[in-house]
């Protein structure tokens, strides 16, 4: 698609940007008149409108489409509109078939007399190779494994291939002083290898925090990845060399959604000095994260993404837009995780499935970009298509730390203001009008902990003291401990390291800061560090008998805790890094000091553990610790300082600081502004710098990987991963009118709710399947079959895998099985084998189905597979909307029974032969006559919704349509 569509009726709307006259753009704010100019249109709909204006060509995108979008208030849910995203993001599983199709298209264009070099993606595309890694080697670093007998224990480490015998971990490479796994001993505060200065690097020895070149597990798994996937990687390397408009992100760089968020996002595109909003569709469910940056985007299936790459628009029903108004002020003690989960809960209850969500209100500016992208990433949890945060000052500050230079930021801000896509809280302009408004008061979000025995039992922090008292009173059960009233205030004195301490019910004896799952957000780990810093500076300490630990989820966490300067303060309070792996959550806690254990048992004390993990079952952390609470990392540090959970943070001090001053939690709790500043300056800048270096340098294996130089891919006939598909075998320069389908047999007679997984399974390849027989004939053993997902670049495997799901219920067979009947011979065969016989005999085939054919996630081979089996049409009662369009996009006619009719009411057995009478000229939703070999005639609706779909069908699908454009 051109940036400026030739002959667009909106050309007069192109203007120069006032502050940068060399930059041009469509001034849609003027073009839209009052409906756009008075700010009533939701920001997300404004992006759709700008795209339709810029791509209006009178064919794929019509002037009427743009006007429908502008008239969103009355047209929502009633019309379909085209959307042309600015770019596409693929991961390698879905990217391989798309790139194979482009390679095959080059071949077809060459064979038809055209120039193959002209065949390139029409839309900028980034393909991240991040789905190839498998864990063949693992390292389990377990500190102080459970030891009911007591006594000193030493860390255990192993590095071994899966299912192989463990072997001893060698010393860190390049560090002769490293003692490997044998000499770490018990980890105490202020001594041992963990007290050494931690260098500013994310790659550390898990036992000693000494920098190493790369962990052995990483190196070994990378070697296996490149060996196993060499064919696919060489094909990607060739693609990166010969295709314009595509960028391949090599293995070991990062996950697709993170690379998209941290490197690929433009916010505003600048193409040859022409500006337009960034927008994206991706074959990854996490694509919605970019909405937190003010970039409209969502996840799609492989065939939709490929259509956009080919220059085709996505068709979507003009959606409702739910406004989520954030008001009030966030509680000082509420963390980012509290906010994200609370907003997610509200949206889940609001029924926003299939709708756009857009955030507005005074509370939005209190959310960092990390908070926003996390909320946007939770879309699958509440069912929205996307959750959009318009660009504002918070976004612009983030972009500065993300590496945008001053000139780019100035152009970005000026353009967004010109087209009214920059949200301004301080502006007097009114909020957009929404389909409905969901209000969320940030003031109502209060910090909680979970416990004392189950993670689902949430307790507000300000109710913690009274709730624990209630647990002492309750009968033994899911919460209660049944402690007699006269014993609830018992105190047990204990001597430890020469000092006397007093233990009572609610005393904290284990405090573990763990960065995993829901606590991997940088802000909560930084909050713990900043709180520790303020606590140490105020003179607060943690009692030495409390087992404290810090277990980062990755070296990157250690990296930003170190670079922000808070790691020494955590260490000072006893929160030393103990390693990288599951520890306290799974019960791998160092034994409590014997004196403490004896005192707890002697006094029958309900001692407590507090951790920022995910598991808190009774006795899990330690057999003598009966109450365990899950809390955010900063609250773990706070309770460790207090030494008890029987505290009201609002009215009682954590402890006494310098000069005998009482220090309250509010005195040392970091503000959100402090967190945002440190997060942007220490975490974001560091992450973006590292990723940029990775992108620019690539990696050694990728750089050394050899790939062909030719403009046409040299197909290896022996390859079982990459094969030239047959979509273009009959490509001619001119499209032909659809022929009548004569005397077609029914390949399958299916019922209701046939899913895309029934049609094209993505899992493992069964040993008895047609695909397995093919791979065996190529000399592969079952162990080498891999999965259908990994072999999406081989049409021979994928065609044989079509309808190979063992749960497929074909009415001809009467039981679940991937089988059908070849009627001319009467044989019961695999679906592929029957289809192959029909094709050899020159007999077309169709599919009979019930309601909701093509239900489930979008899957490109659920349309491509039936096409290559020779299916000419599907006759169903109804279709899943996306799959219907995919069938047209590949060249299969979707026909729908008239209301009240179905195969049963029409008396169809499926054993008849069917003739479908196509007229010379088709029109949207026209009625076609169907004749059977038994003499029955009935009518069906051809589900072509517009002339564009008819054109695609006449061309044999979008692949052939685009190939002819290149000719």
């Amino acid at each position: 698609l051109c940036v400026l569509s030739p002959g667009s009726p909106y050309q007069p709307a192109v203007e120069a940007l006032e502050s940068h006259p060399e930059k041009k753009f469509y001034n849609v704010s003027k073009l839209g008149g009052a409906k756009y100019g008075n700010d009533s249109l939701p920001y997300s709909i404004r992006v759709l409108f700008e795209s339709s204006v810029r791509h209006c060509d009178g064919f794929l995108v019509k002037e009427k489409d743009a006007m429908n979008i502008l008239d969103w208030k009355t047209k929502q849910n009633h019309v379909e509109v085209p959307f042309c995203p600015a770019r596409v993001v693929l991961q390698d599983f879905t990217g391989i078939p798309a790139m194979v199709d482009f390679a095959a298209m080059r071949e077809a264009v060459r064979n038809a007399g055209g120039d193959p070099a002209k065949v390139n993606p029409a839309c900028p595309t980034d393909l991240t190779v991040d789905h190839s890694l498998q864990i063949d080697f693992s390292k389990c670093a377990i500190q102080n494994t459970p030891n009911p007998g007591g006594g000193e224990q030493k860390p255990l480490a192993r590095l071994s291939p899966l299912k192989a015998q463990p072997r001893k971990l060698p010393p860190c490479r390049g560090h002769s002083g490293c003692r490997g796994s044998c000499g770490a001993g018990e980890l105490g505060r202020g001594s041992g290898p963990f007290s050494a200065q931690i260098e500013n690097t994310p790659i550390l020895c898990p036992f000693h925090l000494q920098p190493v070149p790369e962990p052995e597990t990483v190196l070994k798994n990378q070697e296996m990845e490149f060996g196993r996937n060499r064919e696919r990687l060489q094909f990607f390397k060739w693609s990166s060399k010969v295709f314009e408009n595509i960028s391949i992100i090599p293995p070991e760089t990062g996950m697709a959604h993170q690379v998209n968020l941290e490197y690929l996002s433009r916010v505003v595109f600048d193409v040859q000095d022409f500006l337009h909003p960034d927008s994206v569709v991706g074959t990854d469910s996490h694509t919605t994260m970019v909405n937190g940056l003010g970039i409209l985007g969502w996840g799609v299936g492989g065939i939709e993404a490929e259509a956009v790459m080919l220059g085709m628009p996505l068709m979507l029903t003009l959606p409702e837009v739910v406004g989520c108004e954030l008001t009030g002020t966030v509680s000082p003690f509420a963390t980012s995780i509290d906010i994200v989960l609370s907003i997610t809960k509200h949206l889940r209850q609001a029924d926003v499935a299939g709708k756009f969500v857009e955030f507005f209100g005074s509370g939005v500016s209190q959310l960092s970009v990390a908070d926003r992208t996390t909320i946007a990433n939770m879309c699958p949890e509440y069912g929205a298509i996307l959750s959009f945060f318009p660009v504002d000052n918070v976004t612009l500050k983030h972009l500065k730390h993300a590496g945008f230079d001053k000139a780019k930021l100035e152009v970005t801000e000026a353009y967004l203001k010109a087209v009214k896509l920059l949200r301004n809280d301080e502006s007097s302009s009114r909020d957009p009008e929404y389909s409905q408004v969901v209000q969320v008061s940030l003031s109502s979000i209060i910090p909680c902990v979970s416990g004392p025995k189950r993670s689902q039992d949430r307790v507000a922090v300000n109710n913690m003291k009274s709730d624990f008292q209630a647990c002492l009173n309750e009968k033994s059960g899911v919460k209660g401990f049944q402690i007699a009233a006269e014993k609830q205030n018992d105190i047990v004195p204990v001597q430890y390291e020469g000092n006397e301490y007093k233990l009572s019910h609610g005393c904290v004896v284990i405090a573990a800061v763990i960065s995993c799952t829901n606590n991997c957000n940088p802000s909560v780990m930084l909050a713990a560090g900043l709180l520790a810093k303020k606590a140490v500076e105020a003179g607060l300490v943690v009692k030495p008998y409390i087992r404290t630990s810090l277990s980062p989820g990755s070296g990157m966490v250690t990296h930003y805790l170190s670079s922000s300067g808070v790691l020494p303060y955590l260490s000072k309070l006893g929160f030393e890094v103990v390693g990288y792996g599951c520890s306290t959550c799974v019960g791998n806690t160092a034994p409590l000091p014997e004196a403490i254990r004896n005192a707890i048992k002697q006094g029958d004390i309900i001692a407590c553990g507090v951790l920022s993990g995910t598991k808190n079952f009774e006795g899990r952390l330690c057999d003598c610790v009966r109450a365990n609470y899950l809390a955010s990392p900063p609250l773990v540090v706070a309770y460790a300082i207090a030494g008890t959970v029987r505290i009201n943070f609002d009215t009682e001090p954590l402890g006494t600081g310098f000069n005998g001053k009482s220090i309250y939690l509010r005195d040392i709790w970091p503000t959100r502004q402090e967190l945002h500043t440190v997060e942007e300056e220490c975490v974001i800048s560091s992450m973006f710098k590292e990723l940029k270096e990775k992108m620019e340098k690539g990696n050694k294996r990728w750089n050394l990987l050899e790939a062909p130089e030719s403009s046409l891919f040299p197909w290896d006939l022996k390859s079982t991963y990459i094969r030239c598909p047959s979509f273009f075998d009959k490509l001619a320069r001119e499209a032909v009118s659809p022929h009548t389908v004569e005397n077609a047999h029914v390949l399958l007679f299916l019922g209701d709710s046939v899913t895309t997984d029934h049609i094209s399974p993505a899992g493992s390849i069964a040993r008895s399947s047609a695909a397995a027989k093919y791979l065996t004939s190529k000399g592969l053993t079952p162990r080498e079959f891999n999965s259908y997902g990994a072999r999406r670049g081989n049409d021979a495997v994928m065609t044989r895998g079509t309808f190979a799901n063992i749960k497929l219920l074909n009415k001809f067979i009467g039981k679940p099985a991937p089988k059908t009947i070849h009627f001319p011979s009467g044989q019961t065969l695999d679906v592929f084998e029957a289809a192959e016989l029909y094709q050899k005999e020159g007999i077309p085939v169709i599919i009979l189905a019930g309601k909701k054919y093509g239900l489930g996630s979008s899957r490109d081979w659920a349309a491509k597979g039936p096409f290559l089996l020779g299916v000419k049409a599907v006759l169903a009662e109804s279709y899943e909307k996306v799959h219907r369009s995919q069938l047209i996009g590949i060249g299969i006619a979707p026909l729908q029974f008239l209301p009240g009719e179905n195969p049963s009411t029409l008396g169809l057995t499926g054993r008849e032969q069917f003739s479908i009478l196509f007229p010379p000229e088709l029109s949207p939703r026209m009625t076609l006559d169907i004749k059977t070999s038994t003499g029955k005639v009935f009518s069906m609706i051809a589900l072509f919704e517009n002339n564009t779909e008819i054109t695609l069908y006449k061309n044999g699908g979008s692949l052939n349509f685009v190939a002819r454009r290149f000719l």
Side-chain angles (χ1 to χ4, degrees), residues 548-606:
T548 50
S549 61
L550 171 60
S551 180
S554 71
M556 176 54 78
V557 179
T558 305
H559 174 84
Y560 64 67
L561 290 177
S562 178
S563 63
S564 61
V566 300
L567 198 59
Y569 296 97
L570 285 164
S571 179
K572 186 76 173 177
L573 292 180
F575 292 93
E576 303 232 17
V577 178
V578 297
Y580 301 87
C582 294
S583 51
T584 308
C585 273
V586 294
N588 296 331
T589 307
L592 294 177
E594 190 171 350
I596 303 300
R597 291 171 60 90
N598 291 339
I600 291 172
K601 290 181 178 180
Q602 175 189 335
D604 194 25
I605 296 296
I606 306 299

Side-chain angles (χ1 to χ4, degrees), residues 90-98 127-134 229 232 236 283 302 762 786-793 860-861:
L90 306 171
Q91 39 88 342
D92 50 316
F93 261 24
T94 49
I96 191 83
L127 191 155
T128 303
V129 185
D130 70 335
H131 278 49
S132 298
L133 181 65
Q134 296 182 27
N229 296 287
R232 297 167 68 237
F236 285 137
T283 57
N786 214 323
S787 66
Y788 285 113
R791 295 191 179 274
R792 287 180 179 176
D860 55 344
W861 275 103

Side-chain angles (χ1 to χ4, degrees), residues 433-455:
E433 296 178 8
Y434 295 105
S435 308
Q436 69 180 91
V437 172
V438 176
Q439 291 184 321
V440 178
S441 172
L442 298 179
S443 306
S444 68
I445 301 173
I446 57 174
C448 292
V449 297
S450 295
K453 301 180 182 182
R454 303 186 307 174
S455 58

Side-chain angles (χ1 to χ4, degrees), residues 1 17 53 56-57 71 363 462 535 556 636 740 743 790:
L1 289 170
L17 193 62
V53 167
C56 186
D57 62 357
D71 197 20
N462 55 9
M556 176 54 78
V636 172
T740 294
N743 299 319

Side-chain angles (χ1 to χ4, degrees), residues 104-167:
M105 191 183 295
R106 282 199 162 199
E107 195 97 17
V109 168
R110 191 275 310 269
N111 293 340
D115 181 2
K118 291 182 178 179
V119 177
N120 295 289
C123 182
T125 301
D126 300 289
L127 191 155
T128 303
V129 185
D130 70 335
H131 278 49
S132 298
L133 181 65
Q134 296 182 27
I135 302 175
D136 295 281
F137 296 87
S138 66
K139 177 187 291 181
C140 298
I142 303 178
Q143 304 287 350
N144 298 295
T145 51
N147 183 21
E152 180 180 290
Q153 281 207 268
K154 296 179 180 180
L156 170 69
R158 64 182 170 86
L159 171 65
S160 59
L162 296 182
K163 299 182 180 179
Q165 292 299 314
R167 61 185 180 86

